[in-house]
């Protein structure tokens, strides 16, 4: 999903100044510019009130990654052909802890996308209240349609360079799009072999070799916990709500599971080829079919309709101005596929279709214009850096368990996760209130995330 540089004209001179700095340096990084713009819009009153941030040029420093590593990843396919991909790791900010953030393997991956994700991660990780800085990495390698052996050879080649730059106290990668338990296993095995150490260098590890219970579930569960917190401010619960979910990967699957558990009714899922609508509701048995289909068989969501006649499948039209999934009548939406999957037209459709609550499982799934349409219509909008922070929060719990050489129970991890999502929700509302953005979670998340990192940077001097 693309973004447009045309959206990057701001009416505020303050915002425009920062956009101009970043655009001047990286004019061809639209996703990064979009993520920066969204944050800078929120920070005007903060920089006005606290002159120390301006004097020490803290925001300018935060807009530039501390380091960017790019490398060649050669690997051999099963048929003997040789392929060359690009590998990246962006260390954006380490003021409050080692770089932490996922790896994305997808053909669309480039520096703009990874810088936007790493920049978002700085604020998200700060909001979790845990000691983790922000980073992101990945490759334009496409693991879909590749055999397990090909994925293993790719992961081994990728880690043969990446191992120099990561470490349990330096930079701790995890999964993201295209990187799940299988890829983390291959990456970890190669790191362990090269360095002769068994450490918590990656999170999302298998439960038998250092992984935290509930890490696979954490992002989706967290997005639903955040939605429940938002609903609660209006005296509501999620029970009985019809929910639109996009994607059908890790985040979408576990968002569905928690929705079902709480008595809500997910009715859609998607992948990059199309989407399904099941008005009868996706129940636990149907979800298990989806999990098997996507995780074991690596199949397509269209196959859902071959199994369940209550559902219809609509292929995605390339070049279409909107995604009809967001036009289905519902109460709540959980975009859980990718960036910019909800544009202004989609947002209008969501409002017209009755949606009153949007919790972003994906990173930056809603364009700035779409966000404004939703918020202006009174929709409760949980931004990704707050709503999907449960994944990285449980990653940090995995790091804590690894350091202690202990393993917590599912119940303990879940209790922490619920508390963290509750606290993030509260912190967003408090920060929004303190700076005049009453009940706007977007501004609250940006401000609260910024202040903790900015104060740490002031404490640590000009480094
Ligand atoms: P997965 O790879 O498990 O699943 C991704 C899903 O999104 C697939 O259904 C995929 O379809 C679809 N998708 C990916 N790219 C596109 C695209 N360009 N257009 C349409 N559909 C697309 O990834 P995750 O579930 O882990 O990640 C989903 C989102 O959640 C991402 O934005 C990620 O950054 C974010 N996130 C993930 C966290 C995690 O812990 N995993 C934590 C926080 C946020 P297909 O199979 O056809 O490609
Ligand atoms: O976007 C994200 O927060 C993730 N992909 C998870 C990062 C992590 O380190 O668990």
């Amino acid at each position: 999903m693309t973004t447009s540089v045309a959206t990057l004209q701001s009416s505020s001179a303050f915002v425009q100044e920062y956009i101009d700095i970043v655009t001047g340096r990286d004019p061809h990084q639209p996703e990064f510019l979009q993520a920066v713009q969204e944050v800078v819009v929120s920070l005007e009153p903060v920089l006005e009130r606290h002159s120390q941030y301006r004097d020490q040029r803290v925001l300018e420093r935060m807009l530039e990654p501390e380091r960017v590593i790019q490398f060649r990843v050669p690997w051999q396919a099963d048929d003997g052909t040789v392929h060359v991909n690009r590998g990246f790791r962006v260390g954006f900010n380490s003021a409050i802890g080692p770089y932490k953030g996922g790896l994305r393997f997808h053909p669309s991956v480039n520096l703009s996308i990874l810088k936007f994700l790493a920049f978002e991660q700085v604020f998200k990780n700060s909001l979790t209240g845990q000691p983790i800085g922000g980073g992101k990495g990945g490759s334009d390698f496409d693991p879909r349609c590749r055999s397990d052996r090909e994925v293993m050879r790719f992961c081994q080649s990728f880690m043969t360079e990446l191992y120099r730059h990561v470490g349990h106290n330096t930079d701790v990668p995890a999964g993201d799009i295209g990187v799940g338990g299988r890829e983390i296993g291959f990456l970890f095995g190669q790191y362990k072999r090269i360095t002769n150490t068994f450490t918590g260098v990656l999170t999302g590890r298998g439960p038998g070799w250092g992984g935290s219970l509930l890490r696979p579930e954490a992002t989706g569960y967290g997005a639903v916990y955040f939605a429940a917190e938002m609903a609660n401010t209006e005296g509501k619960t999620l029970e009985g709500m019809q929910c639109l979910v996009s994607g059908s990967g890790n985040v979408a699957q576990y968002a569905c599971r928690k929705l079902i558990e709480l008595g809500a009714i997910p009715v859609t899922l998607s992948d990059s080829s199309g989407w399904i609508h099941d008005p009868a509701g996706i129940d636990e048995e149907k979800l298990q079919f989806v999990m098997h289909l996507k995780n074991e068989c690596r199949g397509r969501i269209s196959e859902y309709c071959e199994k369940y006649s209550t559902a219809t499948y609509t292929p995605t039209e390339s070049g279409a101005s909107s995604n009809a999934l967001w036009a289905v009548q519902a109460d709540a939406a959980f975009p859980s596929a990718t960036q910019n999957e909800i544009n202004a037209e989609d947002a209008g459709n969501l409002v017209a279709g009755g949606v009153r609550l949007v919790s972003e499982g994906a990173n930056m799934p809603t364009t700035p214009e779409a966000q404004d349409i939703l918020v202006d219509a009174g929709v409760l909008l949980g931004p990704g850096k707050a709503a999907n922070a449960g994944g990285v929060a449980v990653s940090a719990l995995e790091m804590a368990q690894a350091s202690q050489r202990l393993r917590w129970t599912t119940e303990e991890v879940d209790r922490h996760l619920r508390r963290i999502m509750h606290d993030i929700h509260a912190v967003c509302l408090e920060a929004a209130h303190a700076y005049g953005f009453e009940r706007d979670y977007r501004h609250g998340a940006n401000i609260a995330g910024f202040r903790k990192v900015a104060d740490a940077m002031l404490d640590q001097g000009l480094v």
Side-chain angles (χ1 to χ4, degrees):
M1 310 264 162
T2 54
T3 186
S4 115
V5 184
T7 63
L8 296 172
Q9 289 302 317
S10 171
S11 53
S12 153
F14 168 87
V15 175
Q16 197 58 49
E17 186 189 325
Y18 287 98
I19 296 298
D20 288 346
I21 293 174
V22 180
T23 314
R25 283 205 181 117
D26 295 307
H28 306 300
Q29 297 186 350
E31 291 87 1
F32 177 54
L33 296 174
Q34 180 183 334
V36 167
Q37 184 191 28
E38 283 185 30
V39 167
V40 172
V41 165
S42 307
L43 296 181
E44 186 164 2
V46 182
L47 270 73
E48 251 169 34
R49 201 179 294 178
H50 308 282
S51 61
Q52 66 273 32
Y53 298 141
R54 288 198 308 277
D55 297 344
Q56 294 301 315
R57 300 182 73 83
V58 172
L59 181 54
E60 286 91 327
R61 286 196 265 151
M62 281 177 70
L63 296 178
E64 188 64 10
E66 289 175 8
R67 67 185 201 187
V68 175
I69 291 142
Q70 185 183 319
F71 51 96
R72 180 174 71 202
V73 190
W75 60 280
Q76 198 162 23
D78 289 342
D79 63 5
T81 53
V82 170
H83 299 256
V84 180
N85 284 96
R86 267 190 181 165
F88 301 90
R89 188 72 185 164
V90 178
F92 220 105
N93 194 301
S94 61
I96 62 169
Y99 305 119
K100 182 83 196 87
L103 294 170
R104 179 177 288 192
F105 291 170
H106 192 271
S108 64
V109 161
N110 57 34
L111 200 50
S112 173
I113 288 181
L114 293 181
K115 279 176 65 183
F116 118 62
L117 288 164
F119 182 71
E120 289 280 294
Q121 200 82 44
V122 173
F123 296 82
K124 182 193 305 190
N125 294 2
S126 166
L127 284 171
T128 66
Q130 292 158 307
I132 40 177
K136 202 85 183 191
S139 174
D140 57 0
F141 171 71
D142 190 353
R144 293 168 300 183
C145 312
R146 289 290 172 191
S147 71
D148 288 352
R149 279 167 308 175
E150 287 174 322
V151 171
M152 181 176 75
R153 284 196 292 276
F154 174 82
C155 288
Q156 290 176 340
S157 180
F158 184 85
M159 186 52 88
T160 300
E161 176 57 38
L162 186 70
Y163 89 94
R164 297 175 220 285
H165 312 290
V166 296
H168 65 289
N169 286 326
T170 316
D171 184 354
V172 184
D176 193 81
I177 291 177
V179 178
R182 174 182 63 170
E183 289 75 15
I184 294 292
F186 296 147
L187 292 163
F188 183 78
Q190 184 73 349
Y191 181 87
K192 182 169 65 68
R193 187 175 189 197
I194 295 175
T195 63
N196 192 33
T197 58
F198 192 113
T199 68
V201 63
L202 293 156
T203 59
R205 299 191 298 276
W209 42 281
S212 176
L213 294 173
L214 225 67
R215 174 61 190 88
E217 293 86 347
T219 310
Y221 280 18
V224 174
Y225 291 153
F226 196 88
E229 294 282 347
M230 290 196 291
N232 186 43
T233 64
E234 295 188 340
K236 296 181 189 150
T237 69
L238 301 182
E239 195 175 351
M241 283 196 187
Q242 299 265 326
C243 298
L244 308 178
V245 180
S246 66
S248 49
N250 172 267
V251 179
Q253 291 171 14
Y254 288 106
C256 274
R257 169 153 298 155
K258 187 52 73 176
L259 286 170
I260 296 165
E261 261 181 50
L262 296 183
I265 307 149
V267 292
T268 62
L269 284 170
S270 69
D271 59 25
S272 53
S273 312
W275 60 282
I276 60 110
H277 179 207
D278 188 346
I282 300 165
D283 59 19
E284 179 57 32
E285 186 233 303
K286 293 171 178 173
L287 177 61
Q288 277 185 27
F289 167 78
V290 171
M291 288 175 144
H292 182 71
L293 173 72
K294 298 305 275 190
N295 308 345
E296 257 65 69
C297 311
R298 301 192 185 264
R300 308 305 296 161
I301 200 64
S302 56
E303 293 168 54
Y304 184 100
C305 295
E306 292 161 21
K307 173 99 174 151
Y308 299 109
S309 58
T310 47
T312 52
Y313 174 70
T314 311
T316 303
E317 279 174 51
S318 72
S321 65
S322 66
N323 180 350
L325 185 159
W326 305 120
V328 173
Q329 289 229 332
D331 305 296
F334 296 80
S336 305
T338 194
Q339 63 273 3
N340 293 325
E341 54 173 314
I342 298 180
N343 64 21
E345 197 176 328
D346 297 320
N349 288 338
L350 282 168
V351 173
V355 165
R356 306 294 306 149
L357 187 155
V358 176
S359 185
E360 295 184 344
N363 286 306
M364 206 170 76
T366 314
T367 66
E369 299 87 342
Q371 290 175 26
D372 289 342
I373 289 167
L374 294 171
V375 171
D376 291 348
V379 173
L380 296 171
L381 175 61
K385 56 173 80 73
N388 71 38
V392 76
V394 173
S395 276
L397 300 180
E398 183 170 318
M399 290 164 73
Q401 292 168 79
S403 322
Q404 294 176 296
R405 300 197 187 280
L406 286 176
R407 188 157 184 252
W408 303 346
T409 61
T410 302
E411 292 69 30
E412 276 175 285
V413 180
D414 195 38
R415 207 174 54 240
H416 282 288
L417 175 60
R418 281 172 198 261
R419 178 189 48 79
I420 290 166
M421 298 315 296
H422 171 87
D423 291 352
I424 294 174
H425 177 267
V427 157
C428 289
L429 284 184
E430 279 163 27
H433 171 72
Y435 290 90
F437 295 114
E438 207 58 50
R439 292 192 55 72
D440 191 324
Y441 293 95
R442 297 173 302 170
H443 295 302
N446 291 335
I447 293 169
F450 170 81
R451 289 216 57 195
K452 185 172 165 203
V453 175
D455 289 342
M457 289 174 72
L458 288 176
D459 290 345
Q460 293 170 25
L462 195 52
V463 291

